[in-house]
Every structure is written in structure tokens, then in C-alpha cells.
Amino acid sequence: MHKVQWATGGVCALALAGNAFAQVSEQATIEIESGNLAQSLTALGRQTQTELVFDPTVVADRKAPGVRGSMTADQALEYLLSGTGLRHERTSSDVVLVLASAQQSSSTQTAPAEEEPSQDSGGDDGGQESASTSEPVLESVTVVGIRKSIADAIDVKRDATRIMDSISAEDIGKLPDQNIAETLSRIPGVQVTRVEGEGKSITVRGLGLNKLLLNGKSFIGSARNGDPNLSDVSPELLAGVDVIKAPSADLVEGWLGAVINLRTKRPLDLADSVISGRLQSSYADRAEEWGEKVSGFVAHTFADRKFGVLLSGSYSNSTGASDVYQSGGWTQVSNVDATGDGVNDTFFRPLRLMSWANTYEDERYSVNASAQWRPMDELTFTLEGVKSRRETDRLRSTQQAILTNNITNGVIDASGTLVSGNYSGVTVRPLIYGGDSYSDNKYLSGNAHWAKDRWTANLNASVSEGEGAGLGGDGGNNNSGNDNVLVARQRAGNLASVSYDAAGSNVSPNYGFNANYDIYDPSQYEIYTTFDVDYVAENKGHDADFDVEYELDGFFKSVKVGARTENIEVFGGNPLSTYPALSSHDPTPGSPLLATEVPGLNYSGVIGGMFPGESGSFPRRVLTGSADFNQIRSALGATPISFDTPGAKATINQVEQTTDAFFAMVRFGSDVFGVPMTGDLGVRQVNVDRESFGYTIVGNQAIEARAGKSFSDTLPNLNLIFDLRDDLRLRFAAAKVVARPDLTSTGVGLSLQPVSMTGFSGNPDLDPFRATQFDTTVEWYFAPASLIAVGAFYKDVSAFTTSVEVVEEHPEAPNNTLTGPAAYTYIIGRPVNGKDGEIQGVEINYQHALTMLPQPFDGFGYAFTYTYADSETPEKDELTGQTLPIPNSSEHSANAVVYYEKGLFSGRVAYNYRSEYMTNGGSIASGGSNYADARGQVDASASFRINDNFQLTFEGVNLTREINSFYRTNPGRLYSSYLDDRRIYFGVAATF
């Protein structure tokens, strides 16, 4: 019960029952409308169980903004008193005073009971009151920021009926990272793979088989398997991201790791009118270039909130750079006396030594539009669309040393790796690639939601398509971008050798050139052959579903049934340009076509200073320039890029897959030995038809080929929740799940890359991935915006697809750059149906807002996540004989965030780590399986709120500029390494 007490001197106290402010900084949900300040203070005291003491004459006639959100009483007071000339002061753990700025508190100001107000105590503050009336009156304040986003995400997790984690936007149009993949890495069990300095793909609990949804509906993108590229989805469009790790029957199938649901904002979920915008400048330190990023958000409701529209968009333009070392792979060599002891040796050596200086200009935009109509309280229609496009102009300059078996002074270690030696007869190639890429995505969906009495029904439909080219970068040995290059080598008589020592660093082995010519003089090179190939993808899909739920009384709470159909078509291939004999367009007939004689190919100088700050003695500069392939093709009489040749047709992978699904489930709840228990039990039936189309090579002819496969799965599931206490929840889940293999892996085409002498072939007979999984978590919500959750998971995976490498001869391959058998001998990766595998582990999620600390330290908080994932397959490493783990699964991954938010300032420092992981199995001939080394990255962000509408922002990405490195079997066989930009963002944000 509340009562107002009056004190001598005109001090008003709101005394509240209970232990007022027993925890000084406990958060509460605040809902205060704008209006009279005295009324707002009274409401705040009531909602936070706080004893507020104030002089009624000091607050008389003053206005206060509305405040909504989860916060402490002190934080709410800061917003209520903003611009009033008043301040608040805590005199003890029980009492908070509201004072004029010049007014001093004393221990005698605590209000005694039951006294009438003094009649002459109000005149001293007249000047202050006059000053306050000249301040603008704010309409409303919604508390945002790091702590609010954490509290929202914890609330989503707590209220969920399934095992899941969530991230919420810190503000309208602002997830806590510049990239969705990076944002997801803050969630336990999520590991990110980075390409060109930003997150491109993820695994969840060690599995890359995840389903990406947009507002719960399928989203087809421009990746060659039909998935969206996470880097193409603008984080400014999203309200939050949910990672669902345990299914219910009404959840879309097609995943083993998790469903990742991207949530956009809806107009009828917002205030009557919202306008927000952000403007940022960015700086990339390797490229030494500035960029810009702008985003906007506007929403408005009409007709007494029966109709709403929303429009948001973002645009960015940036420049980046990467320093890269690549070996081109490893090979096993026999019958060569590398050590000079008169006995032939068997050992492993790198195929090439390649230094790359990659630069790129990236331009992208995204637009999201949404409309909602609620003609009656029971019925809501939603229509929304997303359009995004990304274009990257990329220049890749490389200096390649093509190694031979002419080795002297060799040293071979116990693992059979050549760790040092001298290579003679080396071919040197200064290459300039035109490696542009683009991605274009469209999405449109509609939803009708009806709820009346005990009935709820939903009808959904969506259509999406994505296309792109040059999107195959994997952060390992494959660069991003198309491969458009004229292959140059040193002219006849120019000789080169290389001294090699693997004892360099995780960046590069130590090596140097010895030549009888200047290797950085472009006139010393001739054009030998061409490799002019694009990597295209064209995908489209549509889906429709409905569900109906009816509420029941008793143990069974509801019953729900539904159905869904989905059709996906993916098309991928490598069209190429063919060139006539280079001598036919040589301006100096009778002599080789020199690198300096080709119109459109311009060697303009040298890029130096590569891998700054990294140890080692290796080439740190390469020849560079520009390559205009429209001009080059015209000058050399080449054909346009097309699929006209048999070799290009053989790369086509076209797959169509239709999925029909039906489900039924019941929700239930009761007390079990006095413990409240809820859950759901259901089953989902999935039927899939898949058809693959492409070409095979017979002689020199491309012959059409088709293959089909159908399969059905019955997927039961169970979810249980036990509320052990109000703040302690136990969950258990069991389910069967199924996921389609990468659709590009089920095609009949063959993709060859003559530069690296590698290739990939599909397998239309691949089975889906199937697994039986069990999950359990204990979640303790011990304080506001705080959580400790510990979970364990186990997945028994059957029909696990694995990749094998085989050595094959392909004389039909175009534009081979070698001679003899080496010109058509390729290492081909092929997916095959594997055997059973297992993955099991533990997840820990600890988040704590330190509101119990004294001011100003009560603004601190931290979040820590850790995942242990132990995976095992029956597959054996061909070289070592050891059991192989599941590809792309790190055994250890962790994320640590420390944040501070107080008053107008908020800041965050985050560290993300994942241990080494296997990317793919490898043959003995290729040096064994390929691994990514362990890596950690530090990011940071901060903001300063100028007022209730404007704030300044700062973000730093990859602040410690960590190296990505890969190796074959052991770190002594370095495969590749990447150094990407450190990026800094400065900006201003506004919300009205």
C-alpha cells in the first residue's frame, strides 16, 4: 500500500511498503507516459518499489518525457530529470532525493510523518523553475543500449518453448556487430568462418548444416547451394536473431545444427511513428582507405493503429585489402634424392609459393519494406519484401613460384616434410587477376494471422531468388572473386631458383628468389596462356504453409496441425572465355607475346609492405597494375564468357528439389511432484524429390545427364520444461532431424581449376543427413539482465556425407598451364555417403549485469560463453590413420564481452575464439587433411548519447589484426594465411 507523507519545509516523500531499495540497482520494467513530473516520479516509485523524496514546489509545473524499458530506478531518474535542472541523490540504500542542481542534501531532509506543508518554502526556487520552462519538452524516451538488448535477448530465451538463444538489437536498426555472422558468434555453440575480414558462414555445434529463415520463412540466396550469404544481409534491417537448437514439430526441417531466424521489425509492433538514421565513416588500415555507411528507418501507423507501414534501408561503400600467402597445396614426392646422400627420398613439399596482395572496393545496399493491416482485433495481414545487392570490384596481384623436384641441400623432418632446401628450374609468374563478384537477392512474403477464442490460424507464403558470381571464397586456398587472368611466365633465358626454409611463422615460410633478371620488371615476362572463368549461381524458391491450433483444458493445453510445401532450384557453373592462339594477335609476330604488349593489361608498379608487423624473411612485395578483361578479350579475339564449350558445360550443376511436410503436435502442462512442467510432443513427416541435371564429357563432347532421388523421413520430437523455481528452469529435448546435403554436391557436373590443378565433382546419389539428438539445459535467471545456463548435447549422425580426394586425368580441361602429364592430372574432391558420426558437447552461457556494485561501477557487466564440441566419424585420415572429426567443427570455442553503460555512455569490448578445426579430409598424395589454425579476434564499440535523439558511435573490428592460417596435417605444412584489415567506424545516430 502507498501513502503520501508531508514534511516540514515542503518535502514530499512517497513511502512504499516492502523492503524499499533492498537491492539498490535492481532493474524493473518501466512504463511511464509523458506528462507532469510529480506524477511521473510517483509512478516511478510505485513501479520500482523506491522511496523517492522531493519538494513539490521544486517539481511544480515541470514536464517529464515518457520512459519505457527495462532499467534501474537511477537510470529512469536520469531520463525523467533530463533538461529540468534537477538531479537525484541517494542518501542511503533506502532514500533517493530529487533536488535542484544548487540544492544540498542533509540527513535532516528525510521526511517525518504526518506533517502539513509549509506555505513559504516555495519561493527560493522560482528562478530555477523559470529556467526549466524554457527547456524543450521531450515526447518520449525508450531506453536502448547494450544492457537493454541483453535483457531482451534473455527474456526471449526464458519465454521460449524450445532450447534456443537470441540476440536483440541495441537500438532501432542496430545489432551489436557490423555483420550478422559476427553477431551470431556471440551465441554459445556458434563458430564463424571469415573471408576478406568479415564473417561469411557459420557452424552451430560443429555443424554447417543450418537453416536460415527470414521471419520464420525460407530465404533463398545467391550462394551456389541456394543459401543466402550472411554477409549479404544487412544487420541494420533486423530487430534480432534467434538460434533454435532443438526442434518442435511445427518448425521447418532441413538442418542438423540449428535454425537461424532473422527477425525484422513490424510496423504495428512500434509506436505510432518512428524515424531513425545512422551515418558512419569507416577506415580500413591495410587498404588505407575511407568508406561510408548510411542507414535509415521509418515507420508509421494509421487509422487508430489498424494499418502500419515500415521502410528501412542501408547503403555502404568501402575499400579493403588482404595480404595472402598460399602454397597451392602439397604433394608427395618419391624417388628423388633431395638430401644429396645418394639415396632417393619420399617426402612432402609445397606445390607453389605464392604471395598475394588483394584489394577490393565493395558497394552494397539493402531495402526492407513491410505493411500490416489489422481490420479487426482477431486478424492481421502482413506483407514484406527485401531487396539487396552487393558489387565488389576486386584486384588480386600475385607473385607465384611454381616449384619442381629439382631440389638440393634438402632437409626432411620426422613427419616426412621437406623443411628446407634449394629449388632450381622455378617458373615465376607475376599475375594480375580481375576477380570481380556480385550478389543480388530478392524476397517477398505474405502472412495472415487469425486468433479468436480458442482458435489460432496462420497462412504463409514466400518467394525468393538470388544470383551472383565469384562468391566462392572460403578463407582457405580459394580466393573470392571470378578468375580472369592472363598467365605470364619469365621469358626464355630468364632463370630463377628459390631458397626455402619452412621455419618461418604462421604467415609464410622463409624463402627468397635467386634470378639472372629483375623479377619485378614486367618486360621480362611473356603471356603463356589464359584462364578466364566466372563462377555463377542462379537460384530461386518458393514455399507456402498453414497451421491451425486449438486450445484445450486440462493436461493437454492445445493441439496444432499444419502442412508446408517448398520448391528450390539451384543452378551453378563456370562459364569461360576461349582464346585463339596468342600468336595470332601478337603485335610483334615471330616473338612471344610480352606481358607489356596486351591492351588492357597494365603492370604499373609494385605493392610493398605486406604482412606488416609479422616476422619472417619472405617476399613482401608483388607486381601489380590493372586488368580490363573487356578490352583484353577484344584485343586478343576471345569469345564472350559463356557455357558454349564442352568444358564449360561439364561444370553445370542444376538441381531442383521439392519438399512436402505435414505435422501434428500437442502442448501439455501439469505439476510433477509439485514442480510445474510444460512441453510439447509432435511428429513431422517429410517427403523429398530431387532431380539433378548437367553434362558429362565423352571424348570431346558434352552429353546431357540426369539423375533423380527421393526419400521420406518421419521426425518425432519432445520438448519438456520444468520450472524448478521462479528463476530456475530445466529443459530437455529429444528429436530426429534431417538435412539435405549441399545441393551443389548432388549435381552431375565437374568443376576444374587449372591454376591449382584441383577440382570438384558432385554426386547425385547423396543421401540426406539424418541424426537423433538429445539436449538438456539448466537456466538460472538470478538477476535482471543476468543468466547462468549450462547445457549438454548429443547428436548421433547417420548417412554422414564426407569428402574424398582422388587423383584423376582430365585432358579436356581448358587452358592448362603445364606440359606433359602434369597438364591434365587433377586432385578431385568428391562427396560420398559416409558412415555414422557423433558429436557431443557442453555449452556454458554466463551473463551478469553488475547492478549491485556501488556507483559508478554499477554500469559494468559481462557475458561469457564457452562450447566444447567433441566430434567423431568412422572415416580415417588416409595419411595418419587417425579418426577424423566432423569438418569445420572446433573442439573449443568461446566468447567474452565486457561492457559498461552509465548515463550517456556505453561501451563494449568483445573477444571471440575458436580452436583449430579440420576443413576437409585429404589424400596421402596431397599431404593429408586440411586444418584451420586456432584464432581469436578482438572487437569493440562505444556510443555517447548527446541527448534523447542523437548519439555518437564508434566501432572497431579485428583490432588486434589476427592472422587466419591453414595447414596440411601439421603446422609445418603451411597451406595458406591471410591478414585482413583492421576496420574503424565513426558515426552519428538519430532516433525520433
Side-chain angles (χ1 to χ4, degrees):
M1 178 177 294
H2 310 87
K3 61 180 179 178
V4 176
Q5 300 181 328
W6 300 96
T8 303
V11 176
C12 170
L14 181 65
L16 303 172
N19 185 13
F21 250 84
Q23 186 171 350
V24 169
S25 298
E26 182 176 358
Q27 289 198 343
T29 299
I30 309 299
E31 290 283 347
I32 299 176
E33 299 295 329
S34 60
N36 180 273
L37 178 58
Q39 295 175 346
S40 297
L41 292 172
T42 301
L44 178 63
R46 183 185 308 112
Q47 293 179 23
T48 61
Q49 296 292 292
T50 302
E51 183 174 331
L52 293 175
V53 180
F54 58 88
D55 186 332
T57 60
V58 172
V59 302
D61 299 325
R62 297 178 189 267
K63 301 295 184 182
V67 178
R68 295 186 295 274
S70 178
M71 69 200 84
T72 66
D74 290 78
Q75 291 171 328
L77 277 168
E78 289 177 7
Y79 284 102
L80 286 175
L81 302 180
S82 175
T84 65
L86 304 179
R87 61 184 177 87
H88 72 281
E89 180 177 326
R90 188 182 306 282
T91 61
S92 69
S93 62
D94 300 317
V95 179
V96 178
L97 304 181
V98 177
L99 306 167
S101 295
Q103 189 175 351
Q104 300 296 319
S105 62
S106 70
S107 59
T108 61
Q109 287 179 292
T110 305
E114 306 291 333
E115 294 209 20
E116 293 293 325
S118 169
Q119 300 298 312
D120 58 356
S121 60
D124 292 342
D125 197 43
Q128 184 65 45
E129 179 180 343
S130 176
S132 70
T133 59
S134 66
E135 297 287 338
V137 178
L138 299 174
E139 291 297 324
S140 179
V141 174
T142 301
V143 174
V144 296
I146 298 171
R147 184 169 294 176
K148 175 64 164 56
S149 69
I150 291 174
D152 288 346
I154 289 176
D155 287 343
V156 171
K157 178 180 178 69
R158 186 173 189 171
D159 296 339
T161 59
R162 298 170 289 224
I163 295 175
M164 62 174 287
D165 291 283
S166 181
I167 291 181
S168 296
E170 295 176 8
D171 202 343
I172 293 174
K174 179 63 183 77
L175 284 175
D177 292 277
Q178 291 285 336
N179 174 278
I180 291 175
E182 300 288 355
T183 293
L184 288 169
S185 70
R186 315 298 174 197
I187 286 177
V190 177
Q191 300 164 349
V192 61
T193 298
R194 296 174 176 86
V195 177
E196 293 184 333
E198 67 176 9
K200 180 178 180 180
S201 61
I202 64 167
T203 62
V204 181
R205 292 174 168 176
L207 294 167
L209 296 162
N210 304 300
K211 184 78 170 181
L212 186 67
L213 304 178
L214 186 60
N215 292 319
K217 291 174 277 294
S218 286
F219 184 21
I220 303 301
S222 56
R224 295 187 74 168
N225 64 352
D227 289 339
N229 287 299
L230 286 174
S231 57
D232 290 340
V233 182
S234 173
E236 284 80 12
L237 304 183
L238 302 181
V241 183
D242 301 324
V243 178
I244 304 169
K245 301 174 181 177
S248 54
D250 57 347
L251 190 64
V252 176
E253 76 291 331
W255 54 277
L256 294 190
V259 167
I260 299 154
N261 185 37
L262 310 179
R263 292 182 282 110
T264 61
K265 289 187 178 291
R266 300 288 178 77
L268 293 185
D269 296 335
L270 303 170
D272 290 342
S273 181
V274 177
I275 300 175
S276 178
R278 289 178 176 268
L279 178 64
Q280 288 183 316
S281 290
S282 62
Y283 180 75
D285 68 340
R286 287 299 300 128
E288 297 183 343
E289 294 284 349
W290 288 87
E292 62 273 351
K293 186 174 187 179
V294 60
S295 62
F297 178 100
V298 59
H300 191 69
T301 60
F302 308 87
D304 196 24
R305 296 187 58 79
K306 292 186 179 297
F307 183 75
V309 294
L310 178 154
L311 179 67
S312 64
S314 68
Y315 169 84
S316 67
N317 191 312
S318 62
T319 300
S322 299
D323 296 338
V324 180
Y325 163 80
Q326 290 177 341
S327 68
W330 283 71
T331 185
Q332 186 181 45
V333 177
S334 300
N335 299 319
V336 173
D337 181 13
T339 60
D341 60 0
V343 178
N344 286 341
D345 302 302
T346 298
F347 57 92
F348 296 96
R349 68 163 178 87
L351 290 170
R352 306 178 180 192
L353 302 172
M354 300 186 288
S355 297
W356 297 77
N358 298 342
T359 59
Y360 51 91
E361 286 189 28
D362 189 89
E363 185 175 26
R364 64 183 86 180
Y365 74 84
S366 298
V367 178
N368 167 229
S370 176
Q372 286 188 295
W373 178 39
R374 187 171 292 153
M376 59 187 72
D377 291 342
E378 299 85 0
L379 181 62
T380 303
F381 296 97
T382 302
L383 180 69
E384 60 189 335
V386 176
K387 172 71 167 71
S388 69
R389 185 172 179 86
R390 177 181 183 182
E391 296 181 359
T392 305
D393 296 331
R394 188 179 286 104
L395 181 70
R396 307 201 314 263
S397 304
T398 178
Q399 197 91 355
Q400 301 181 350
I402 312 301
L403 304 179
T404 69
N405 289 333
N406 298 323
I407 305 169
T408 58
N409 301 319
V411 176
I412 301 171
D413 69 8
S415 70
T417 303
L418 183 73
V419 296
S420 66
N422 297 320
Y423 292 88
S424 60
V426 170
T427 301
V428 182
R429 292 178 178 169
L431 307 184
I432 299 176
Y433 281 73
D436 295 348
S437 61
Y438 84 94
S439 173
D440 192 276
N441 301 276
K442 305 179 184 70
Y443 169 88
L444 180 67
S445 72
N447 163 263
H449 173 77
W450 177 76
K452 184 175 177 62
D453 299 328
R454 293 174 177 261
W455 290 94
T456 302
N458 289 282
L459 178 63
N460 302 288
S462 72
V463 58
S464 54
E465 60 183 59
E467 64 176 58
L471 303 175
D474 59 7
N477 204 48
N478 295 314
N479 292 296
S480 295
N482 295 315
D483 284 332
N484 313 118
V485 64
L486 298 182
V487 182
R489 65 181 179 186
Q490 72 259 44
R491 299 169 63 179
N494 290 343
L495 304 178
S497 62
V498 167
S499 58
Y500 172 85
D501 185 349
S505 64
N506 66 338
V507 169
S508 171
N510 294 328
Y511 71 97
F513 289 95
N514 299 298
N516 64 354
Y517 70 100
D518 182 1
I519 66 171
Y520 296 108
D521 179 0
S523 68
Q524 300 299 312
Y525 296 93
E526 64 183 22
I527 302 302
Y528 167 65
T529 188
T530 64
F531 185 58
D532 194 358
V533 178
D534 286 355
Y535 307 106
V536 303
E538 297 178 8
N539 312 312
K540 59 183 178 180
H542 59 267
D543 69 336
D545 68 88
F546 78 90
D547 60 73
V548 178
E549 185 169 13
Y550 181 73
E551 293 183 3
L552 303 171
D553 295 322
F555 175 77
F556 292 106
K557 304 303 180 184
S558 71
V559 59
K560 186 178 184 180
V561 296
R564 179 178 181 270
T565 184
E566 178 188 57
N567 179 267
I568 299 174
E569 296 180 43
V570 301
F571 174 92
N574 307 342
L576 56 83
S577 176
T578 58
Y579 289 71
L582 295 176
S583 59
S584 65
H585 290 77
D586 191 340
T588 55
S591 65
L593 177 63
L594 299 183
T596 54
E597 295 179 329
V598 181
L601 180 63
N602 176 35
Y603 285 88
S604 60
V606 174
I607 293 181
M610 297 172 60
F611 289 106
E614 300 295 334
S615 63
S617 176
F618 51 87
R620 295 179 185 261
R621 56 180 182 149
V622 299
L623 272 171
T624 189
S626 62
D628 182 343
F629 268 83
N630 289 326
Q631 186 178 1
I632 290 172
R633 292 174 193 134
S634 176
L636 298 183
T639 65
I641 291 281
S642 73
F643 285 103
D644 292 341
T645 65
K649 287 181 178 179
T651 68
I652 290 176
N653 274 309
Q654 186 171 353
V655 181
E656 181 176 3
Q657 180 170 285
T658 300
T659 304
D660 296 315
F662 313 89
F663 77 87
M665 61 183 292
V666 293
R667 303 186 195 276
F668 52 84
S670 182
D671 284 357
V672 178
F673 301 109
V675 176
M677 180 272 295
T678 59
D680 62 74
L681 175 67
V683 63
R684 190 176 186 93
Q685 179 64 37
V686 181
N687 304 315
V688 177
D689 292 312
R690 186 180 71 215
E691 185 173 2
S692 303
F693 168 81
Y695 294 86
T696 59
I697 298 296
V698 179
N700 289 321
Q701 299 295 316
I703 307 300
E704 289 189 8
R706 292 181 181 271
K709 192 174 183 69
S710 299
F711 43 88
S712 297
D713 289 277
T714 301
L715 307 175
N717 79 274
L718 171 68
N719 289 293
L720 295 173
I721 302 173
F722 297 90
D723 289 320
L724 305 180
R725 294 195 315 242
D726 289 343
D727 60 351
L728 188 63
R729 176 163 284 188
L730 170 67
R731 299 178 187 264
F732 172 80
K736 286 188 174 182
V737 293
V738 62
R740 63 171 171 85
D742 182 337
L743 290 183
T744 57
S745 300
T746 65
V748 297
L750 172 67
S751 175
L752 299 175
Q753 296 190 4
V755 171
S756 62
M757 304 304 294
T758 60
F760 177 82
S761 175
N763 181 356
D765 194 47
L766 287 181
D767 292 324
F769 295 80
R770 298 180 173 96
T772 301
Q773 64 179 41
F774 301 92
D775 297 82
T776 185
T777 66
V778 178
E779 302 162 4
W780 179 26
Y781 302 90
F782 61 92
S786 301
L787 160 74
I788 296 177
V790 179
F793 59 89
Y794 172 79
K795 296 176 185 286
D796 182 3
V797 184
S798 62
F800 210 102
T801 299
T802 59
S803 179
V804 298
E805 289 184 344
V806 294
V807 178
E808 298 180 356
E809 294 183 354
H810 290 277
E812 79 280 2
N815 303 321
N816 292 299
T817 59
L818 302 174
T819 58
Y824 48 83
T825 301
Y826 285 77
I827 298 174
I828 304 298
R830 294 182 184 277
V832 296
N833 290 318
K835 302 175 183 178
D836 295 352
E838 292 182 350
I839 186 165
Q840 56 198 347
V842 176
E843 293 177 345
I844 299 173
N845 186 356
Y846 178 27
Q847 303 186 49
H848 196 183
L850 302 178
T851 55
M852 80 295 295
L853 297 179
Q855 296 189 42
F857 305 106
D858 56 344
F860 277 107
Y862 55 83
F864 172 76
T865 66
Y866 168 76
T867 301
Y868 170 77
D870 178 30
S871 66
E872 183 177 296
T873 71
E875 305 298 328
K876 300 289 186 179
D877 188 296
E878 186 178 315
L879 178 60
T880 66
Q882 296 179 347
T883 300
L884 289 175
I886 292 174
N888 301 310
S889 175
S890 291
E891 190 171 28
H892 305 278
S893 60
N895 186 72
V897 177
V898 176
Y899 64 87
Y900 182 81
E901 192 166 46
K902 188 73 173 176
L904 304 178
F905 174 81
S906 68
R908 173 181 69 102
V909 177
Y911 175 74
N912 181 262
Y913 169 83
R914 67 180 300 186
S915 62
E916 65 178 16
Y917 59 93
M918 186 193 75
T919 62
N920 59 275
S923 64
I924 293 177
S926 62
S929 300
N930 199 50
Y931 290 83
D933 208 352
R935 185 180 186 275
Q937 178 168 308
V938 176
D939 304 321
S941 65
S943 66
F944 181 80
R945 188 170 294 275
I946 301 172
N947 55 37
D948 293 310
N949 300 109
F950 292 92
Q951 63 176 322
L952 301 177
T953 63
F954 163 84
E955 294 180 60
V957 179
N958 191 23
L959 292 177
T960 52
R961 208 160 59 182
E962 296 294 326
I963 297 290
N964 275 315
S965 63
F966 300 80
Y967 58 86
R968 285 279 185 175
T969 303
N970 65 66
R973 297 177 196 159
L974 185 63
Y975 193 67
S976 59
S977 64
Y978 295 74
L979 175 65
D980 297 307
D981 288 291
R982 176 192 293 119
R983 291 188 177 271
I984 306 296
Y985 297 83
F986 306 91
V988 60
T991 302
F992 301 92

